[in-house]
Amino acid sequence: MAKNYYGCIPVLAWMLCHYFYNREHYVWVAERFYPYRLPNPRSSNPHRIYEDLYEPWMDADNFDKYISQTRLSLRNGVEAKEKAGVIMPAVATRLKKICDKVEVTFFCPIVLRLDIDQIDGARRKTAGSGASVGSHEYLITDLRENEFDILFLDVIQDPAVQQLVVDEIAGTSGGTAPADAMDLLETRLLP
């Protein structure tokens, strides 16, 4: 029987990993979707992360403080991938601008589920609140797309999200090239 762990990421994080980071995802996963009565702080609780992304996404609140912090985290990830040589500086420059300015539509939350026993122990990191307060979570920095299921993706009819995520996951898009994904994201930047 699977020992399921859950994570929640914004759709933009999925897109960055899928199109630009060799389909390797950087994900925090918790022992339960709602780790009630476990020592997981809000930042280690997929249910709370879902709420924190969902409300500003639904309200199209481009100025929400959680969205602002998520933008910064994604930007830091771009910088790390550039430093590691995963992406070229010109790509990194464009992706950082996307992280900073893309419409809040691209912060729709995605819920992921994986069988933790299928992930080699060497790939599961105990860090952050897992190390400091014993929260029930792991960081997986190289999670492959065939190692998790997407349980919930509540997309309101946005054609770009439909093409770049929903159709891509379903295999009905014919495969969007990274350059085309980048161009489409750049058409959705805030002034």
Side-chain angles (χ1 to χ4, degrees):
M1 188 162 142
K3 186 174 181 185
N4 291 325
Y5 270 57
Y6 300 86
C8 183
I9 59 171
V11 77
L12 182 60
W14 184 91
M15 293 166 77
L16 292 172
C17 295
H18 179 80
Y19 289 105
F20 306 103
Y21 306 162
N22 304 315
R23 297 183 182 206
E24 288 188 349
H25 297 261
Y26 181 101
V27 180
W28 288 92
V29 293
E31 185 175 350
R32 300 179 195 151
F33 177 67
Y34 185 36
Y36 181 65
R37 293 195 176 175
L38 294 179
N40 291 45
R42 186 174 190 96
S43 62
S44 301
N45 182 325
H47 180 264
R48 300 290 188 205
I49 295 167
Y50 183 87
E51 288 177 344
D52 288 340
L53 288 169
Y54 188 86
E55 291 177 12
W57 167 72
M58 261 316 256
D59 294 340
D61 183 356
N62 286 303
F63 306 103
D64 177 81
K65 66 181 179 179
Y66 190 83
I67 296 295
S68 296
Q69 183 58 46
T70 302
R71 288 180 186 281
L72 182 58
S73 294
L74 293 173
R75 185 182 221 286
N76 290 341
V78 170
E79 290 171 352
K81 293 297 185 181
E82 177 185 14
K83 186 176 179 182
V86 174
I87 55 175
M88 300 302 293
V91 171
T93 297
R94 292 173 72 187
L95 290 178
K96 286 186 272 188
K97 187 171 183 180
I98 288 167
C99 291
D100 293 344
K101 297 285 189 178
V102 76
E103 295 172 14
V104 77
T105 298
F106 296 92
F107 289 86
C108 170
I110 297 176
V111 176
L112 309 173
R113 177 185 64 194
L114 60 92
D115 180 350
I116 199 68
D117 290 334
Q118 299 301 310
I119 308 300
D120 185 276
R123 294 174 55 212
R124 296 184 247 160
K125 297 173 179 51
T126 301
S129 59
S132 64
V133 298
S135 65
H136 296 225
E137 67 178 319
Y138 292 109
L139 170 62
I140 304 168
T141 59
D142 60 352
L143 187 65
R144 296 173 201 95
E145 292 183 359
N146 65 342
E147 296 176 321
F148 64 86
D149 297 315
I150 295 178
L151 291 184
F152 198 67
L153 173 56
D154 186 13
V155 178
I156 294 179
Q157 301 301 316
D158 183 278
V161 175
Q162 182 72 36
Q163 175 188 341
L164 296 177
V165 182
V166 178
D167 293 346
E168 190 76 15
I169 291 167
T172 58
S173 71
T176 302
D180 294 333
M182 178 93 75
D183 290 344
L184 183 52
L185 286 167
E186 287 177 328
T187 68
R188 301 293 295 274
L189 299 181
L190 297 169

